[in-house]
Amino acid sequence: MDAFTMIILACVAGEPKCTSTRIAETQFTSIDACEARIDAIATEMTRKLSQRPELKGRAVTYDVSCMDRTQLLQSFGIADLDI
């Protein structure tokens, strides 16, 4: 089975740039396995953002994607990849 790649994008209200985390592991052999790690990673990202005094009280939004190899290539517009 194809491995999945997880991409988490965290955006803080009022900040011009978002923070992203990309994790690709062979252990992500299903959407469920990929999604099982989302809460822990989002919690850690929130904890780190909350330690920055200038961001206290601001809303954080998360965009999470779990994609297999084909979906990842299609989302970035790659037609073919020789590996």
Side-chain angles (χ1 to χ4, degrees):
M1 181 178 275
D2 202 0
F4 285 80
T5 297
M6 176 173 51
I7 301 169
I8 298 179
L9 184 66
C11 298
V12 178
E15 290 296 305
K17 293 184 178 180
C18 296
T19 302
S20 65
T21 300
R22 179 179 177 267
I23 300 170
E25 296 182 11
T26 57
Q27 296 150 341
F28 294 155
T29 55
S30 70
I31 288 285
D32 292 336
C34 186
E35 290 178 344
R37 298 243 348 248
I38 291 170
D39 286 339
I41 293 170
T43 298
E44 180 63 18
M45 290 175 85
T46 301
R47 187 187 65 73
K48 286 181 180 180
L49 290 170
S50 71
Q51 291 176 347
R52 294 177 50 194
E54 71 274 16
L55 300 180
K56 290 221 184 251
R58 294 195 195 172
V60 178
T61 58
Y62 291 96
D63 181 28
V64 180
S65 300
C66 287
M67 295 177 271
D68 64 18
R69 177 182 159 96
T70 302
Q71 293 166 328
L72 190 63
L73 294 175
Q74 289 174 346
S75 71
F76 289 107
I78 301 170
D80 192 20
L81 182 65
D82 293 330
I83 292 184

